Amino acid sequence: MKKISIKMPEKKRIVLIAHDAMKKDMVEWAKYNRHILAKYELYGTGTTCRILNESLDLHVKCFKSGPLGGDQQVGAKIAENELDAIVFFSDPLDVHPHSSDVSALLRIAVVYNIPIACNRASADFMISSPLMHEEYERLVTDYDNLYQNVRTPDKFGIEEKATEEESDLSLADGLTNPATETTMEKE
């Protein structure tokens, strides 16, 4: 698969997200790492953003609350190459009514090869990496051109079956019937 290179700037754009039960952990983590986070452009969703703005004395740009479209706003920013990393402290033991939004956000982050930290340990590893403090080129699969001019059934080795109506139409048009390998000429 063809890859394209997307340059991440030296000053990374990081979004901080925390489910309700994890907001305290996010605030503690962010306070402990404030000196490092101050080097980045910070974003957050809903209440997490508001709490971080109050707690850190740093400017955190706010998206809507996750369930009210914030997760989708973050996904859109990733697709437009306007975010570089996600720190997402999710509550692994609770069911969330917007879990499909969370899944979509994580999927888009994987598609665009965005670093994702889902707990304090992975967040510590991420922000302490030397790569976070320099330009970095991430490789992303070129999905825009991956399937151009390729019929999906052929791509996956699936034999395409024509419906009876389609077979009749193709025979009437003088096309080959793939089921019988016969051609009928137009009258």
Side-chain angles (χ1 to χ4, degrees):
M1 288 192 254
K2 183 180 175 197
K3 304 281 187 185
I4 57 174
S5 176
I6 298 175
K7 188 177 285 190
M8 296 167 70
E10 184 177 331
K11 183 176 183 176
K12 305 293 185 288
R13 299 157 299 182
I14 303 172
V15 63
L16 306 170
I17 306 169
H19 285 151
D20 288 345
M22 306 302 290
K23 290 190 189 318
K24 181 180 177 200
D25 283 352
M26 174 63 79
V27 170
E28 289 173 2
W29 176 82
K31 281 182 175 180
Y32 182 80
N33 292 291
R34 185 191 180 287
H35 63 289
I36 297 172
L37 292 173
K39 300 174 186 176
Y40 303 118
E41 191 174 325
L42 301 176
Y43 295 82
T45 55
T47 308
T48 304
C49 184
R50 184 181 52 77
I51 293 170
L52 290 172
N53 272 319
E54 292 168 3
S55 303
L56 296 179
D57 192 33
L58 291 175
H59 180 66
V60 182
K61 297 174 187 173
C62 295
F63 294 111
K64 291 182 181 288
S65 173
L68 300 178
D71 295 334
Q72 293 165 339
Q73 288 178 305
V74 172
K77 290 288 188 187
I78 291 170
E80 296 298 324
N81 298 313
E82 295 177 18
L83 288 175
D84 302 305
I86 299 173
V87 177
F88 189 168
F89 290 0
S90 64
D91 182 357
L93 301 179
D94 196 10
V95 177
H96 300 278
H98 68 293
S99 61
S100 60
D101 296 336
V102 173
S103 294
L105 171 59
L106 296 175
R107 184 188 68 76
I108 205 75
V110 170
V111 165
Y112 285 92
N113 198 19
I114 296 290
I116 309 166
C118 294
N119 55 42
R120 289 177 77 149
S122 59
D124 286 340
F125 274 84
M126 181 194 302
I127 68 164
S128 64
S129 168
L131 298 174
M132 287 294 288
H133 310 290
E134 59 189 49
E135 284 187 355
Y136 177 80
E137 291 195 29
R138 58 188 164 87
L139 296 178
V140 177
T141 299
D142 185 7
Y143 290 106
D144 289 336
N145 295 310
L146 184 63
Y147 296 117
Q148 266 186 345
N149 302 320
V150 176
R151 291 177 54 201
T152 304
D154 295 340
K155 169 90 174 127
F156 296 104
I158 300 170
E159 186 179 345
E160 188 174 29
K161 300 282 184 188
T163 65
E164 193 172 279
E165 184 179 314
E166 290 171 332
S167 294
D168 291 341
L169 286 174
S170 64
L171 287 173
D173 292 338
L175 302 173
T176 302
N177 179 343
T180 61
E181 299 287 329
T182 58
T183 304
M184 180 178 229
E185 298 299 325
K186 271 186 160 178
E187 294 179 8

